[in-house]
Amino acid sequence: MVILVTGASGQLGQSIQHIAPSYTDLQFIFASSQDLDITNQDRINHFFEHNKIDFCINTAAYTAVDKAEMEMERAEAINVFGPKYLAVACKNNNAKLIHISTDFVFDGSAEKPYSEADKTNPLGVYGKTKLEGEQAVIDHCSAYFIIRTSWVYSLFGNNFMKTMLRLASERDTLSIVSDQIGSPTNAVDLAKALLSIVKSDNSEYGIYNFSNEGIASWYDFAKEIFRVNGINIEVNPIPTEAFPTPAKRPKYSVLDKSKIKKNFKIEIKSWQEALQQTT
Ligand code: NDP
């Protein structure tokens, strides 16, 4: 089975590359943005015509949440048209598509974990373009899995954990937002879940949620990052209003994982246990 991974230099792409050697029965093509620009439909069609692809995992995205507010067209090209072109190519070449989406499709007004069927209402350009990207996939192919995830971190690329570790080496105290609640996701655990889907031969297509288990605020997450890394630093909780950002973020974005656990028999670690894997 041949799997094309787009956006292969990003943190999820690198996490898939990290575990790929253990999957000796799968053949991977890792394509960075330089190798395959997903906004170039001719290039995608050409790529699919010249490589026999069974599965495409689209990890490519415009992920700069705040910058997206000023770069709407670029965010739209990558997060909406990119997935659309991949969906069309998958359909024309009999390949299945796994497309990654986000908790930012929700407005955060819920009081219990979001199921895949709950009403979406993105607060900013990033979430809006990601939601439109989901719809483009649904409209242009039928063999798709859309995986919504949240608060992704790893030893690769840029993410909250690496920012915290850098800041801790520069400062004595940190103030971290404590009134946004979600679930951290170790990108390697997400990568394993994606490959479980690839290997499952299950064709219950649709939208699925995945994150690690449990809930946290960014403040809780930061404290645990410092604890597991043996870093002694003063961390103060602050409200969202004390840390204004161009893009509004959901106050609550915990995802209900029952569907993916049931359909793919995936066991999910707590976020605290998953965080230990990075030390
Ligand atoms: P990264 O920003 O680390 O990686 C995204 C990758 O996409 C980069 O390597 C980038 O390449 C590539 N890319 C950008 N534009 C294009 C293009 N036109 N063609 C091909 N590749 C392109 O993101 P993550 O790995 O963290 O995110 C993976 C997925 O998870 C995304 O769909 C994201 O929306 C979703 N997600 C992420 C969360 C997080 O906290 N990080 C939370 C929830 C969902 P280059 O750097 O060369 O531009």
Side-chain angles (χ1 to χ4, degrees):
M1 188 145 50
V2 180
I3 297 135
L4 166 65
V5 179
T6 56
S9 306
Q11 71 162 330
L12 179 56
Q14 287 191 65
S15 300
I16 300 172
Q17 295 198 51
H18 178 69
I19 62 166
S22 315
Y23 293 78
T24 47
D25 50 340
L26 303 178
Q27 195 186 325
F28 292 90
I29 301 174
F30 290 104
S32 70
S33 58
Q34 277 84 34
D35 303 324
L36 184 60
D37 175 356
I38 65 163
T39 65
N40 184 334
Q41 188 167 23
D42 290 342
R43 182 82 185 90
I44 289 178
N45 291 341
H46 184 265
F47 197 94
F48 273 77
E49 278 155 25
H50 289 83
N51 296 279
K52 171 78 194 86
I53 311 289
D54 298 297
F55 248 103
C56 171
I57 303 180
N58 179 35
T59 75
Y62 183 108
T63 56
V65 174
D66 290 316
K67 215 166 142 200
E69 297 296 312
M70 279 81 74
E71 282 197 348
M72 200 163 165
E73 271 181 34
R74 183 87 190 120
E76 196 174 38
I78 301 169
N79 291 347
V80 185
F81 291 101
K84 174 182 166 184
Y85 301 152
L86 288 171
V88 171
C90 282
K91 184 169 187 199
N92 291 342
N93 294 279
N94 230 351
K96 295 174 183 174
L97 176 61
I98 297 183
H99 173 65
I100 315 301
S101 192
T102 170
D103 55 333
F104 277 36
V105 298
F106 296 114
D107 64 16
S109 59
E111 286 167 356
K112 63 173 182 47
Y114 281 103
S115 84
E116 289 80 356
D118 279 336
K119 191 177 167 294
T120 53
N121 183 30
L123 298 174
V125 169
Y126 169 72
K128 188 168 174 290
T129 56
K130 291 294 290 185
L131 181 61
E132 288 173 12
E134 289 184 1
Q135 195 56 49
V137 167
I138 294 165
D139 290 346
H140 291 91
C141 69
S142 47
Y144 66 83
F145 300 99
I146 292 169
I147 314 297
R148 290 182 181 149
T149 187
S150 62
W151 297 26
V152 181
Y153 68 92
S154 65
L155 292 169
F156 312 107
N158 297 318
N159 57 69
F160 181 79
M161 178 185 78
K162 288 178 73 178
T163 303
M164 288 301 110
L165 294 175
R166 178 177 51 79
L167 289 176
S169 69
E170 297 166 3
R171 301 187 197 170
D172 298 327
T173 64
L174 288 175
S175 297
I176 308 292
V177 169
S178 60
D179 58 358
Q180 286 172 29
I181 307 296
S183 304
T185 303
N186 185 317
V188 170
D189 285 0
L190 172 57
K192 286 178 183 164
L194 300 178
L195 296 186
S196 296
I197 293 174
V198 168
K199 289 186 62 133
S200 74
D201 208 25
N202 182 327
S203 48
E204 288 173 79
Y205 301 119
I207 301 177
Y208 288 87
N209 292 337
F210 183 90
S211 69
N212 281 115
E213 294 282 16
I215 66 167
S217 67
W218 291 110
Y219 168 77
D220 299 329
F221 189 21
K223 295 262 287 184
E224 189 66 6
I225 289 166
F226 298 133
R227 195 190 66 77
V228 302
N229 284 285
I231 295 169
N232 208 347
I233 183 168
E234 186 186 326
V235 187
N236 300 310
I238 53 165
T240 300
E241 299 75 57
F243 188 69
T245 52
K248 238 179 129 189
R249 280 138 169 92
K251 281 256 176 198
Y252 177 95
S253 65
V254 178
L255 302 171
D256 180 334
K257 274 86 63 183
S258 325
K259 187 176 168 190
I260 199 164
K261 286 194 283 190
K262 180 168 163 279
N263 286 12
F264 294 98
K265 316 231 165 348
I266 290 172
E267 281 182 25
I268 308 182
K269 294 188 196 93
S270 73
W271 68 265
Q272 293 94 334
E273 192 187 345
L275 182 60
Q276 293 275 2
Q277 292 169 184
T278 59
T279 59

